[in-house]
């Protein structure tokens, strides 16, 4: 409908953006329309979004001119960067800056920037509790995003910074699911000690983002965090045990051991978990569950997510 406010969604064929496109299309209250942005409008994933009713348009966030074209005529935008596609925090900062500038140029009314903490505010580079990576980061895939927050809050269109949480979907797609140890028993391995890990169903991030857009100006200029539940490794292992019907234990290791796993990004993730463990009160507090549910009343708990997704979790 012509009166609908168009939200231009970066990463629409992916986890966060895809959830937002589907949330907009499935929202009975209406009021918003989704412009699904992708590098390839002819991909199966793009066609699937078009079939649901989304407008599909091209974008490459590496080009400010491309983002400007993609944002033209929209009311709002959801902006996210893709660290794991290139593993460069500098590139994330450049892409975020291009998106913020394009949002202002297009005269958008509200932009959501999907971010994470700049951990250097808690662990300066001089702090040797965890190694400095790439010369100027502690947790590169957090720090580049966090550095871009001020760009969105000062030089973009009116913006909300959205701090997301660990996707439980990592247990399916990112190799973090239960694995058999030498004893043959399944275990999840995390360097979180007895601290709580805020987690979320990836699909719920978009639903929360729609909730922010629907609250008008309430969160413009603000930084807000979301999570579906805050759980210790032991609690997650107990939930796995119940859902899978076989014992899963929590293998608590030190962050240094995790950093040494050797896969690309293991050092970044080891530092990330250490940050979440050592600054757990701050990290959990901003990801308030009641607030998250106020944005998205369908917010899933871990046991609900597991019941729906346990068949997709590879058990090695
Ligand atoms: N995994 C977690 O637990 C977690 C938690 C919090 C935050 N994050 C952050 O989430 C971010 C990734 O978001 P996501 O999980 O929603 O991504 P995703 O599912 O990997 O989707 C990425 C999508 O982005 C599009 N894309 C890639 N490069 C692009 C470019 N240059 N221009 C335009 N589009 C491009 C691709 O679509 P096309 O191929 O269709 O163009 C792809 O479908 C990462 O930066 C990560 O740090 C992850």
């Amino acid at each position: 409908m012509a009166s609908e406010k168009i939200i231009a969604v970066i990463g629409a064929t992916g986890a966060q953006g895809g959830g937002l496109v589907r949330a907009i299309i499935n929202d009975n209250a209406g009021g918003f329309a989704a412009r699904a942005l992708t590098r390839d409008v002819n991909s199966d994933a793009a066609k699937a979004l078009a079939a649901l009713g989304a407008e599909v348009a091209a974008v490459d966030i590496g080009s400010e001119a491309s983002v400007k074209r993609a944002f033209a005529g929209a009311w709002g935008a959801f902006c996210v960067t893709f660290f794991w596609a290139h593993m460069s925090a500098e590139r994330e900062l450049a892409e975020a800056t291009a998106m913020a500038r394009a949002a202002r140029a297009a005269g958008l009314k509200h932009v959501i920037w999907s971010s994470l903490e700049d951990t250097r505010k808690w662990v300066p580079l001089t702090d040797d509790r965890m190694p400095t990576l790439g010369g100027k980061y502690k947790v590169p895939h957090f720090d580049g995003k966090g550095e871009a927050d001020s760009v969105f809050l000062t030089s973009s269109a009116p913006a909300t910074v959205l701090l997301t949480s660990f996707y439980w979907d990592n247990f399916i797609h990112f190799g973090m699911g239960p694995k058999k140890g030498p004893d043959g028993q399944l275990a999840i391995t995390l360097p979180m000690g007895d601290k709580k890990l805020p987690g979320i169903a990836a699909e719920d991030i978009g639903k929360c983002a729609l909730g922010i857009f629907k609250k008008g100006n309430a969160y413009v200029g603000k930084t807000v965090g979301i999570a579906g539940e805050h759980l210790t490794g032991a609690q997650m292992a107990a939930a796995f045990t119940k859902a899978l019907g076989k014992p899963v234990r929590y293998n608590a290791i030190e962050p240094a051991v995790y950093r040494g796993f050797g896969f690309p990004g293991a050092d970044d993730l080891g530092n990330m978990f250490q940050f979440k463990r050592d600054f757990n009160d701050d990290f959990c507090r901003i990801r308030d569950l009641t607030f998250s549910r106020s944005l998205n009343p369908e917010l899933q708990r871990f046991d609900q997510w597991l019941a729906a997704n346990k068949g997709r979790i590879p058990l090695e």
Side-chain angles (χ1 to χ4, degrees), residues 31-103:
F32 294 95
R35 179 180 293 166
L37 299 174
T38 168
R39 289 167 301 177
D40 180 3
V41 296
N42 293 311
S43 70
D44 289 346
K47 284 181 185 158
L49 295 174
L52 290 177
E55 173 195 353
V56 174
V59 77
D60 184 337
I61 61 169
S63 156
E64 190 175 324
S66 167
V67 184
K68 274 185 187 159
R69 282 192 296 277
F71 285 179
W75 177 88
F78 178 81
C79 295
V80 55
T81 45
F82 311 104
F83 179 85
W84 298 106
H86 46 71
M87 298 179 70
S88 163
E90 284 89 351
R91 187 163 154 187
E92 278 194 295
L93 180 58
E95 292 169 341
T97 304
M99 291 190 282
R101 288 167 54 93

Side-chain angles (χ1 to χ4, degrees), residues 72-307:
W75 177 88
F78 178 81
C79 295
V80 55
T81 45
F82 311 104
F83 179 85
W84 298 106
H86 46 71
M87 298 179 70
S88 163
E90 284 89 351
R91 187 163 154 187
E92 278 194 295
L93 180 58
E95 292 169 341
T97 304
M99 291 190 282
R101 288 167 54 93
R104 173 170 274 197
L108 300 189
K109 300 292 185 287
H110 192 173
V111 179
I112 294 177
W113 162 232
S114 175
S115 191
L116 292 163
E117 282 87 346
D118 184 341
T119 64
R120 297 166 295 184
K121 292 180 186 164
W122 285 263
V123 195
L125 296 185
T126 50
D127 188 328
D128 59 9
R129 266 178 293 185
M130 58 177 78
T132 294
L133 303 176
K136 51 179 176 171
Y137 302 106
K138 287 298 186 183
V139 183
H141 80 285
F142 271 50
D143 298 347
K145 292 182 181 72
E147 200 173 322
D149 290 359
S150 63
V151 182
F152 274 94
L153 291 172
T154 60
S155 1
S156 176
T160 302
V161 173
L162 176 63
L163 300 176
T164 61
S165 286
F166 176 91
Y167 310 169
W168 292 321
D169 307 67
N170 293 334
F171 291 126
I172 305 174
H173 304 296
F174 216 58
M176 291 187 179
K179 291 190 180 46
K180 278 193 185 135
D183 58 357
Q185 214 200 318
L186 289 167
I188 52 168
T189 297
L190 291 169
M192 287 294 294
D194 60 359
K195 301 297 184 190
K196 292 187 170 180
L197 178 66
I200 194 163
E203 190 72 8
D204 275 334
I205 296 174
K207 291 185 183 180
C208 291
L210 177 59
I212 291 172
F213 284 125
K214 289 172 83 169
K215 303 265 183 198
N217 287 331
Y219 304 115
V220 165
K222 301 212 161 71
T223 298
V224 300
I226 52 170
E229 221 170 356
H230 303 163
L231 295 170
T232 62
Q235 288 171 322
M236 284 189 280
F240 269 115
T241 299
K242 201 168 167 197
L244 300 175
K246 48 182 107 173
V248 177
R249 63 183 183 80
Y250 170 43
N251 181 28
I253 58 168
E254 283 302 315
V257 174
Y258 200 98
R259 283 191 283 271
F261 279 164
F263 62 84
D267 48 1
D268 187 332
L269 291 174
N271 281 6
M272 173 193 80
F273 284 120
Q274 186 173 344
F275 168 71
K276 293 180 182 185
R277 183 196 70 177
D278 293 353
F279 302 92
N280 200 245
D281 288 348
D282 286 352
F283 195 75
C284 289
R285 190 182 311 108
I286 194 153
R287 290 166 172 79
D288 184 78
L289 304 181
T290 306
F291 169 73
S292 305
R293 196 167 293 282
S294 75
L295 298 175
N296 168 21
E298 296 170 4
L299 191 73
Q300 295 174 68
R301 296 185 314 270
F302 186 51
D303 62 341
Q304 293 171 304
W305 179 88
L306 264 181

